[in-house]
Amino acid sequence: MEKAYQPKEVEDRLYENWEKDGSFAGKINPEHPAYSIVIPPPNVTGVLTMGHVLNNTIQDILARRARQHGYSTLWLPGTDHAGIATQTKVEQQLRKEGKTKHDLGRDGFLEHAKEWRDKHGGIILKQLRKLGCSCDWERTVHTLDPDYSRAVLESFVRLFHNGYVYRGKRMVNWCPVSLTALSDEEVIMKPQNGKLYKIRYELTDSPSEYLEVSTTRPETIMGDVALAIHPDDERWPSLKGRKVRRPLQPAEIPIIADQAVEKDFGTGMLKITPAHDPLDFEIGQRHDLEIIDVFNPDGTLNHLGGPEFSGMDRFEARKATVEKLREQGDLIDEEDHANNVGFSERADVPIEPRLSEQWFLRYPRVEEAKRAVSQGFIRYFPERWTKTYLHWLENIQDWCISRQLWWGHRIPVWYRKGSSRSDPQNWHVSVDGPEDPDNWEQDEDVLDTWASSWLWPIATMGWPDKEEMHKQGLDYFYPTSALVTGPDIIFFWVARMIMAGLEFKGEPVDPKTILSDEEIQKRIPFRDVYFTGIIRDSKGRKMSKSLGNSPDPLDLIEKYGADGLRHGIMSIAPKGQDIRFSEERIEQGRNFCNKLWNVSRFRQMSDNSVRTSDLKSILKRIQPEQLNQDDHAILLRLIETLDEVDRLYGQYEFNSALQSIYRFFWNDLCDWYVENSKSRMREGKDKDTCLAVQDLCLRQVLLLLHPVTPFITEELWDVLGFSAGKSIQWVCPGNGEKLLEEIRSVGIILDRLALTEILAIRELVTSMRALKAERNLASNNKVEFFYLSDDSKAEVLNRHLSSIQSSVGIAAFNRTVSAPNGMPALVTSFGSVYMDLASGIDVDAEKARLNKELESLDKIISNIEKKLSNEAFTGKAPPQVVEGARKQLAENQAKRQETTEALQALA
RNA sequence: GGACGGCUAGCUCAGUUGGUUAGAGCGACUGGUUUACACCCAGUAGGUCACAGGUUCGAGUCCUGUGCCGUCCACCA
């Protein structure tokens, strides 16, 4: 074995083996329970980020653990076509070649985009392999695959026929750069420092009398069709029925009253521009006002904006209109104003509220979706996200699902040529289209990407084709066991998948029928949802390409190994909390792997002739009568650890589980057990028993770690001879109880007191080491120690004598009957311990140390005494707590007594 | 404006239903190659648990309020 673990060769070799032997294949096997996960499909053109590393490592841990526990496991991978993102990239590419999408035409563009996708896409799936992800690659799905696309269209058609889908001319979020409508979720509110302009509108029946209006968007004045005031405003009675003159594109517009106007904001007077503001639109509807759209789709002004501004960009026009108003004397005031402006998530420009004809979806199964989570049929980890989820569902708005793009699923609606598109009489809605296509033209728009990915858990498993569903195991693997994703897409994806599952899984149900709880449980797409945190850089900033603060995971794999990266990232990922990334943690992960490698090497160097594969034959090598306290203690700790890890994994507490394994492996096993076993290796009496115990511990550690660090554990599993041809992937670590049973079955009864005793001995060794270290005697074995104890304690010390001597590194540790003078002393649970220094000691330094010790003891004692003398405490606290305090007092008093004596002995 | 999360050692974080003297890793410092590992071993220092009240025999933990950081939701032009 190499002196240091070399991950590169091991990882590539093992991954190839796993893939070749079909380890990751999700088999439909009714003899076994199913465990399934569908991957949150990354953008087909994306590359691996630290977020993906975290997210997919967690999924891999779940999948691998399930395999070990005997579940027939499917982790289904795939990619998302990512409408706007991908189309934008392809268009950028075209632009470099001096072309636009219109040069190619729709079909040509799609052909081009597909080629581009096939050439550049899917990189991320290769990167996931490097990370060790155990996805069933045979089942990779892309949202634009023919079958998947059919499922998407089918869902639209069904929703349409059930009355959930409608077409309407409404206010939508318009992105003037992408030239498409967006859903509310794709709009990001950002605080902006703008200006609030105060503008005067002249009353037509009383020239020189003006009303003042505040606005942040003077460039829309040409679209004003009214001024509005709150009906309770005292000015209303005198304004009712009167009119004002619009200061730009002059026209006479009415003054109206509407409840929606805030009396106390600005001047209490609101200009109504129904074409460019959602609230204004609403008010316009109520008062049956005209709609004047002064913008072109790309955010420039059109002819209705007037000749002076026509063709200008909206922000340019803002400046120009302000200037014009100023010239006219209509600008009364301008002041700085902070407000929130909605930005397009993709293009990062302010969205434009725009009236347009779009397809909308009234969400199906909203009530059932709430119930699925509030009743715990779907469990959220951490639980607090249920509140966010429910709040969104309470206030849910219809979903604009049409996008003015080409890259995506084209809406399966055809309009009769030459007829009005507004009249449903002229619509044809079906997956395959009309039989006489020449008489129809298809809707130009595509569906929102999320309106395809919300079908992910069912459409990746054959839905809606009955035969395919059966073949692909929808009924076997669904509902999927767990979903691992970020809370940022709880609305975009998680909530919508739940509704889609409820609506589409199983037999169709009338929209008016509410699903029963039983039915809900059958239809939900997943049982547990684990929300990861967001990975931030060391300064707490979100990782992003533009900041350049995101390390390339592949570089990290190169440097630390995939296992090191996985271990590192998992050790810092508290449940659902944001994560501060630091490369040092990844280094720790690598170090951990190296430690594992080296303790295995030690095991091999001790004796590589003994190789046993399964638990039973390892146990058979143990001679029960040769087991010492160390053996009992380590086995008990192993059992504790197995249970703890089992429980923590079950609660998705990955970092705690890892910490628990770490503690057992590094502290208990390596630092103490293996160290102590060195003398047993040398002496040879009980060497085989000791090696068997080592094997048992190592075997279980490998099993527990395998989900986190799959490569090194598989490699060592083989090297240490545990495999006998069977991969670690299929071996269950079992729990503490099960191991205890196995141990009993070979006639070993573990002694719980041994663990307590060993812990006390460790504490003793630690303080003896400290006493030495303070004098820089760490490597000096010549020192002698004495102890002053009663018989029972002396007996214990005697039993551990050789291990204490070698652990501390001393020549002798003998019992003495009286306190030796002039020696530094320790007060321990085994009595007083003295260090004999050949050359004299620094009495003053010793005194200082012991006095410090006394001081701290006095503080503790007086605190306990105070507590115990308080009748309220002795009366009200539970007896065992009071008893504990008394015991503690006695112990500390004894310690003080001995310390005082030691101090006197120095004088 | 509303909701949620965070604030514990220099840094990153643990800390179960309130109960002994608040822990770990990293970093710092000291010392170390004895049958694996310097990607290692031994040890030391370092904390007014954000702040202010309250409940309680007892509060890092529960309650109220405040502050700072972060996230999400919201039609004040």
Side-chain angles (χ1 to χ4, degrees):
Chain A
M1 289 174 85
E2 297 279 339
K3 193 172 170 186
Y5 175 54
Q6 307 294 335
K8 214 171 154 44
E9 184 273 331
V10 173
E11 290 175 1
D12 291 344
R13 169 165 48 82
L14 288 181
Y15 199 87
E16 206 177 298
N17 288 349
W18 288 332
E19 244 193 305
K20 220 169 16 194
D21 66 21
S23 293
F24 307 154
K27 299 195 185 78
I28 301 163
N29 185 350
E31 312 265 297
H32 290 265
Y35 189 91
S36 55
I37 298 177
V38 287
I39 203 170
N43 289 0
V44 64
T45 59
V47 291
L48 199 69
T49 64
M50 287 311 295
H52 291 120
V53 169
L54 173 66
N55 186 289
N56 289 289
T57 299
I58 291 172
Q59 291 174 71
D60 199 41
I61 289 172
L62 295 173
R64 288 181 181 274
R65 205 174 122 77
R67 281 188 206 101
Q68 284 187 299
H69 284 255
Y71 291 87
S72 188
T73 303
L74 169 66
W75 181 12
L76 199 154
T79 51
D80 192 300
H81 66 282
I84 298 182
T86 306
Q87 177 157 338
T88 307
K89 271 190 192 173
V90 175
E91 282 190 67
Q92 274 168 1
Q93 188 62 33
L94 278 177
R95 215 165 299 139
K96 276 186 201 152
E97 297 165 22
K99 287 187 245 177
T100 71
K101 62 176 174 176
H102 299 287
D103 295 336
L104 302 182
R106 186 168 188 139
D107 290 343
F109 176 81
L110 286 178
E111 206 49 48
H112 180 80
K114 274 181 195 161
E115 272 169 32
W116 192 84
R117 173 196 66 194
D118 294 341
K119 196 169 161 205
H120 303 281
I123 294 170
I124 193 165
L125 299 184
K126 291 197 180 69
Q127 295 177 315
L128 287 174
R129 287 174 171 90
K130 278 273 174 204
L131 188 62
C133 293
S134 59
C135 303
D136 184 353
W137 300 110
E138 302 286 312
R139 293 189 64 154
T140 305
V141 178
H142 176 58
T143 47
L144 281 180
D145 285 348
D147 287 349
Y148 197 101
S149 299
R150 235 186 127 70
V152 173
L153 302 187
E154 173 75 21
S155 71
F156 180 93
V157 172
R158 286 199 197 180
L159 289 166
F160 177 81
H161 289 303
N162 279 324
Y164 290 115
V165 165
Y166 63 92
R167 184 174 169 80
K169 195 166 189 183
R170 302 218 333 217
M171 217 59 191
V172 295
N173 307 298
W174 182 261
C175 175
V177 169
S178 311
L179 299 179
T180 178
L182 301 174
S183 66
D184 295 346
E185 286 71 29
E186 288 163 288
V187 177
I188 300 170
M189 299 306 285
K190 292 190 189 180
Q192 296 291 302
N193 293 317
K195 299 245 185 242
L196 188 62
Y197 303 95
K198 201 184 277 177
I199 291 153
R200 61 175 196 181
Y201 287 61
E202 188 175 34
L203 282 154
T204 50
D205 58 6
S206 170
S208 81
E209 199 185 331
Y210 297 92
L211 293 178
E212 293 176 356
V213 175
S214 290
T215 181
T216 54
R217 304 205 58 192
E219 72 276 18
T220 64
I221 287 177
M222 299 77 85
D224 286 355
V225 293
L227 291 191
I229 190 167
H230 195 278
D232 293 344
D233 194 305
E234 52 193 23
R235 290 172 291 178
W236 170 237
S238 65
L239 291 172
K240 196 171 178 175
R242 299 171 71 186
K243 294 199 159 122
V244 292
R245 194 182 62 92
R246 188 166 63 204
L248 296 173
Q249 286 293 80
E252 205 177 49
I253 57 175
I255 302 166
I256 58 171
D258 195 286
Q259 300 277 358
V261 181
E262 289 287 330
K263 276 192 290 184
D264 301 327
F265 186 86
T267 59
M269 189 71 68
L270 180 62
K271 73 184 200 62
I272 305 299
T273 321
H276 301 295
D277 183 276
L279 178 64
D280 291 7
F281 177 72
E282 228 178 79
I283 293 173
Q285 294 289 92
R286 278 201 284 273
H287 297 267
D288 201 21
L289 299 171
E290 187 192 357
I291 294 166
I292 304 173
D293 186 344
V294 301
F295 285 158
N296 292 310
D298 65 356
T300 58
L301 274 79
N302 62 24
H303 69 281
L304 293 174
E308 290 162 83
F309 309 116
S310 172
M312 271 187 191
D313 178 75
R314 51 191 168 149
F315 299 109
E316 210 183 320
R318 181 173 303 172
K319 287 184 200 144
T321 47
V322 168
E323 271 326 299
K324 178 82 188 283
L325 290 165
R326 202 193 306 278
E327 281 167 27
Q328 291 176 189
D330 291 327
L331 183 69
I332 313 274
D333 187 28
E334 80 188 90
E335 59 185 45
D336 292 336
H337 181 68
N339 64 339
N340 284 323
V341 176
F343 275 65
S344 155
E345 192 194 24
R346 281 289 151 201
D348 200 33
V349 293
I351 60 113
E352 202 52 58
R354 180 163 187 253
L355 193 63
S356 74
E357 204 157 8
Q358 303 285 346
W359 288 98
F360 293 91
L361 175 70
R362 183 167 59 82
Y363 286 96
R365 306 289 156 205
V366 175
E367 285 313 308
E368 291 96 323
K370 282 189 222 163
R371 209 170 154 70
V373 173
S374 64
Q375 294 301 300
F377 304 143
I378 296 172
R379 299 188 299 166
Y380 280 2
F381 296 86
E383 201 254 332
R384 64 186 149 87
W385 292 110
T386 57
K387 203 172 168 180
T388 308
Y389 167 85
L390 291 173
H391 181 256
W392 185 71
L393 283 178
E394 294 292 340
N395 300 288
I396 199 161
Q397 302 289 319
D398 290 354
W399 176 12
C400 174
I401 52 173
S402 43
R403 294 289 176 277
Q404 287 65 53
L405 303 172
W406 287 351
W407 183 246
H409 304 95
R410 193 160 173 183
I411 290 175
V413 175
W414 284 259
Y415 305 99
R416 203 185 302 278
K417 276 183 185 165
S419 317
S420 161
R421 287 190 171 196
S422 309
D423 183 358
Q425 295 287 322
N426 300 322
W427 297 356
H428 172 95
V429 181
S430 75
V431 172
D432 297 308
E435 284 176 5
D436 52 341
D438 290 347
N439 299 323
W440 301 82
E441 49 197 9
Q442 190 174 1
D443 195 299
E444 284 76 16
D445 292 349
V446 300
L447 287 168
D448 180 4
T449 305
W450 297 104
S452 62
S453 49
W454 74 326
L455 301 173
W456 191 248
I458 53 174
T460 48
M461 296 195 208
W463 186 87
D465 186 301
K466 283 225 165 79
E467 213 172 294
E468 281 298 315
M469 277 152 55
H470 184 69
K471 210 171 101 193
Q472 299 186 27
L474 183 66
D475 285 317
Y476 180 65
F477 288 117
Y478 193 97
T480 62
S481 311
L483 177 77
V484 180
T485 191
D488 49 331
I489 52 175
I490 192 164
F491 311 136
F492 278 112
W493 196 46
V494 180
R496 287 168 177 168
M497 272 194 289
I498 293 172
M499 289 185 275
L502 291 167
E503 175 65 15
F504 296 120
K505 176 70 173 60
E507 290 305 310
V509 170
D510 185 87
K512 290 189 196 75
T513 309
I514 298 281
L515 299 172
S516 67
D517 282 355
E518 200 187 338
E519 197 60 34
I520 290 174
Q521 288 174 72
K522 280 191 218 154
R523 289 169 172 246
I524 49 174
F526 28 72
R527 298 198 194 285
D528 289 352
V529 183
Y530 177 91
F531 290 108
T532 65
I534 293 165
I535 305 214
R536 301 175 172 281
D537 70 5
S538 57
K539 295 189 185 99
R541 298 172 306 183
K542 226 169 172 170
M543 284 191 170
S544 75
K545 255 188 220 156
S546 55
L547 279 173
N549 58 353
S550 175
D552 183 347
L554 292 186
D555 290 346
L556 294 173
I557 289 175
E558 183 71 24
K559 216 163 147 194
Y560 303 106
D563 284 335
L565 174 61
R566 292 167 60 120
H567 184 108
I569 200 83
M570 289 318 297
S571 72
I572 48 173
K575 192 165 69 178
Q577 219 66 267
D578 284 2
I579 294 143
R580 285 282 167 104
F581 177 79
S582 85
E583 194 166 324
E584 280 162 11
R585 303 302 292 252
I586 310 302
E587 203 178 318
Q588 269 180 65
R590 190 258 327 251
N591 295 353
F592 184 86
C593 292
N594 192 241
K595 186 79 175 175
L596 194 60
W597 180 260
N598 269 290
V599 78
S600 303
R601 236 177 101 218
F602 174 75
R603 166 65 186 82
Q604 286 305 81
M605 288 162 94
S606 300
D607 185 348
N608 64 4
S609 66
V610 193
R611 295 165 76 92
T612 45
S613 55
D614 65 339
L615 195 59
K616 279 194 169 47
S617 46
I618 293 173
L619 285 168
K620 268 190 209 141
R621 283 162 39 210
I622 296 177
Q623 307 279 326
E625 71 281 358
Q626 287 183 349
L627 288 175
N628 66 17
Q629 306 293 96
D630 282 324
D631 298 319
H632 281 267
I634 196 75
L635 291 175
L636 285 163
R637 279 288 296 124
L638 175 61
I639 286 163
E640 273 177 18
T641 305
L642 283 170
D643 280 335
E644 203 171 285
V645 172
D646 208 40
R647 181 178 62 80
L648 291 168
Y649 268 136
Q651 291 297 310
Y652 297 95
E653 308 241 13
F654 302 106
N655 67 327
S656 303
L658 209 46
Q659 204 183 5
S660 173
I661 301 170
Y662 186 104
R663 249 202 322 273
F664 172 75
F665 169 69
W666 205 304
N667 302 336
D668 294 294
L669 190 63
C670 294
D671 290 349
W672 294 97
Y673 187 83
V674 170
E675 281 309 311
N676 275 339
S677 73
K678 283 177 180 172
S679 61
R680 297 167 79 184
M681 297 290 108
R682 226 176 358 247
E683 286 155 19
K685 302 199 294 291
D686 54 359
K687 184 173 172 181
D688 290 343
T689 292
C690 181
L691 280 176
V693 172
Q694 278 183 29
D695 283 349
L696 181 54
C697 292
L698 276 174
R699 180 182 185 273
Q700 296 309 115
V701 165
L702 291 181
L703 286 168
L704 289 178
L705 279 172
H706 179 253
V708 182
T709 52
F711 295 108
I712 190 174
T713 50
E714 176 83 298
E715 178 71 359
L716 291 174
W717 184 252
D718 191 47
V719 168
L720 293 176
F722 298 135
S723 71
K726 190 179 183 186
S727 164
I728 192 173
Q729 292 171 286
W730 314 106
V731 181
C732 181
N735 57 21
E737 199 185 336
K738 226 173 135 197
L739 180 61
L740 194 57
E741 232 169 72
E742 293 278 359
I743 289 175
R744 276 207 197 104
S745 75
V746 292
I748 301 165
I749 307 297
L750 292 178
D751 176 11
R752 300 218 156 260
L753 288 176
L755 182 54
T756 327
E757 195 172 298
I758 288 297
L759 291 177
I761 293 289
R762 282 193 202 171
E763 206 175 311
L764 172 70
V765 167
T766 301
S767 45
M768 287 168 75
R769 279 172 177 166
L771 200 61
K772 267 183 76 187
E774 277 167 27
R775 284 158 195 80
N776 291 345
L777 295 173
S779 67
N780 187 342
N781 285 332
K782 302 281 190 294
V783 200
E784 288 189 22
F785 273 72
F786 298 96
Y787 61 90
L788 184 60
S789 304
D790 61 30
D791 287 350
S792 71
K793 282 174 179 160
E795 186 273 322
V796 177
L797 288 180
N798 210 34
R799 240 180 315 115
H800 293 281
L801 196 60
S802 71
S803 119
I804 293 172
Q805 272 182 238
S806 62
S807 301
V808 183
I810 51 175
F813 191 33
N814 292 317
R815 190 172 179 189
T816 176
V817 286
S818 63
N821 275 342
M823 288 191 197
L826 282 171
V827 177
T828 75
S829 59
F830 290 98
S832 298
V833 171
Y834 304 88
M835 180 166 69
D836 185 18
L837 290 162
S839 53
I841 57 158
D842 182 342
V843 175
D844 289 339
E846 258 338 285
K847 276 187 178 165
R849 185 179 63 84
L850 288 173
N851 273 320
K852 202 177 151 196
E853 184 68 25
L854 263 186
E855 212 175 290
S856 114
L857 283 168
D858 280 338
K859 216 168 118 191
I860 293 166
I861 288 167
S862 83
N863 276 340
I864 306 171
E865 276 174 346
K866 216 165 85 190
K867 201 193 268 187
L868 281 169
S869 65
N870 183 348
E871 273 175 39
F873 174 70
T874 49
K876 288 186 186 174
Q880 67 268 28
V881 171
V882 179
E883 200 38 54
R886 290 219 170 90
K887 208 173 137 199
Q888 195 194 333
L889 180 65
E891 276 167 15
N892 283 291
Q893 278 170 336
K895 220 169 167 184
R896 181 171 61 178
Q897 178 61 27
E898 291 177 57
T899 309
T900 314
E901 280 165 19
L903 200 53
Q904 281 161 357
L906 279 177

